Amino acid sequence: MTPGRWMPGVLGERTPRGTRCRLCPHHCVLSAGQVGACKVRRGAAGGGIETVTFASSVRHVDAVERKPFFHYRPGTPTVTLAAPGCSFRCDYCVNYRISQYGRDDEAGWGAAPVDTAAVVAQAAAAGAAVALSYTEPSLAPEMTLDLAARGRAVGVEVVWKSNGFLTPEAVAVCAPALAAVNIDLKGVDEPSHRRLTGAPAQPVVAAIRAFREHGTWVEVSTPLIPGVTDPAAVATTIAAIGTDIPWHLVRFTPAYRMQDADPTAPDALVEAVDAGRAAGLRYIYVERALGDAGRATRCPSCAATVVRRGIWSLEENLLDNGRCPGCATVLEGRW
């Protein structure tokens, strides 16, 4: 399989009208040259689905905490890439200039071709993982599979920051290539989620469950979006999958088509933390708005602070192979 193309039948289903893309739940049926709702996947000549471009608009090194991952290899650097496009069209997207590739005239993303061998070599030299973030990595699964295949030989893992809008078939293909995935769950009310993103919420919930079942480490982020996010409902949904899933609460910042909306108030973040605790979630985080305490990991048994973080950085990790140094409780994660 060459970079940029799926062999027919892997994530494509032949129909009389063209090839049905089985990558995301939009299930677009594409004839040769026709582009799907994501504006990234395209019907290939002779059948199958290919990517419009095999490139990245970003290549830099930052901390894994910035994705955010708090229970996956704290303090690890990541070589971060951003493949083009997104299967959502979120009205508040701060990365719309690259995520809305092919959909918004303002999206000018300046991408360059990806040399996966060079990316993995850079990560190996830095003791880093490779992260796909800022846009939707699932739209370029070939890139992920190639990076993972090259990375295995040199101990380089691949992680995603994703919207989670994948089919079960796509999760089954991609999960073995991924060490960890952070999935955005913006809300669970279907009408409001569709208004915001152009897509249903339940496939995202199903993907969270499916990645865990495949053994990929999963964390969840929830931006508190006015009129969309019910923190209590989201927390209850996550807890039903696993109370050990780290939940990152993100302050909404007015952007793109929602520039007139108000940012999330700190009180709303406090209330969301309380809702998460009431639902039984063991690890709840707020990146900046609630200070250092919002970023710290505490032992769920004795409440001792075992990991301290700055903004997008690790300050202290007291865990001993994932165990609390005080009471020896094992904290869930990939330490």
Side-chain angles (χ1 to χ4, degrees):
M1 183 167 57
T2 59
R5 172 171 293 193
W6 282 109
M7 295 292 287
V10 176
L11 283 178
E13 175 187 1
R14 296 286 185 89
T15 77
R17 295 188 295 115
T19 301
R20 177 177 288 109
C21 181
R22 303 289 295 177
L23 185 61
C24 90
H26 287 314
H27 287 158
C28 299
V29 177
L30 306 175
S31 57
Q34 186 177 8
V35 178
C38 64
K39 307 302 181 184
V40 174
R41 306 299 285 179
R42 175 174 60 193
I49 306 291
E50 62 186 3
T51 57
V52 172
T53 182
F54 195 62
S56 174
S57 56
V58 171
R59 180 172 166 181
H60 62 230
V61 178
D62 57 15
V64 75
E65 283 79 12
R66 189 168 185 170
K67 300 305 110 190
F69 286 105
F70 280 10
H71 287 232
Y72 168 78
R73 296 178 60 188
T76 298
T78 64
V79 178
T80 301
L81 306 175
C86 188
S87 45
F88 285 178
R89 49 136 187 84
C90 298
D91 289 337
Y92 74 99
C93 184
V94 297
N95 298 316
Y96 74 93
R97 287 185 176 85
I98 53 178
S99 72
Q100 298 305 296
Y101 169 84
R103 187 181 291 132
D104 192 311
D105 291 341
E106 294 186 52
W109 53 294
V114 172
D115 180 340
T116 52
V119 170
V120 170
Q122 179 186 1
V130 176
L132 281 80
S133 183
Y134 301 116
T135 55
E136 180 44 48
S138 65
L139 297 181
E142 302 90 349
M143 186 186 298
T144 291
L145 296 181
D146 195 41
L147 288 165
R150 294 177 185 277
R152 287 189 191 100
V154 291
V156 171
E157 295 182 325
V158 180
V159 302
W160 274 5
K161 180 71 172 73
S162 172
N163 65 16
F165 194 63
L166 290 83
T167 63
E169 303 98 308
V171 173
V173 167
C174 295
L178 296 170
V181 59
N182 184 305
I183 293 177
D184 268 5
L185 182 58
K186 299 164 176 57
V188 293
D189 175 72
E190 290 292 352
S192 59
H193 193 276
R194 283 182 180 273
R195 284 195 301 271
L196 178 79
T197 68
Q202 280 309 303
V204 180
V205 176
I208 294 170
R209 188 184 302 276
F211 272 114
R212 279 172 57 89
E213 290 172 351
H214 282 281
T216 305
W217 177 251
V218 177
E219 305 193 18
V220 174
S221 294
T222 297
L224 299 187
I225 302 168
V228 175
T229 309
D230 178 344
V234 173
T236 299
T237 299
I238 297 170
I241 300 172
T243 56
D244 60 323
I245 297 174
W247 190 32
H248 301 263
L249 292 162
V250 181
R251 190 181 190 192
F252 164 78
T253 301
Y256 196 27
R257 298 191 181 103
M258 295 184 68
Q259 295 186 36
D260 294 333
D262 293 328
T264 307
D267 287 351
L269 288 162
V270 172
E271 291 173 3
V273 170
D274 291 343
R277 288 174 178 159
L281 294 176
R282 293 154 64 91
Y283 310 107
I284 305 169
Y285 300 104
V286 177
E287 185 179 89
R288 284 182 284 184
L290 300 186
D292 293 347
R295 297 183 293 270
T297 298
R298 294 173 182 80
C299 174
S301 296
C302 71
T305 296
V306 293
V307 183
R308 294 190 304 108
R309 301 175 182 88
I311 298 173
W312 302 333
S313 66
L314 175 68
E315 292 187 349
E316 184 178 37
N317 181 3
L318 299 176
L319 292 172
D320 180 11
N321 292 321
R323 292 184 179 274
C324 172
C327 69
T329 295
V330 175
L331 278 71
E332 293 85 355
R334 302 290 186 267
W335 308 109

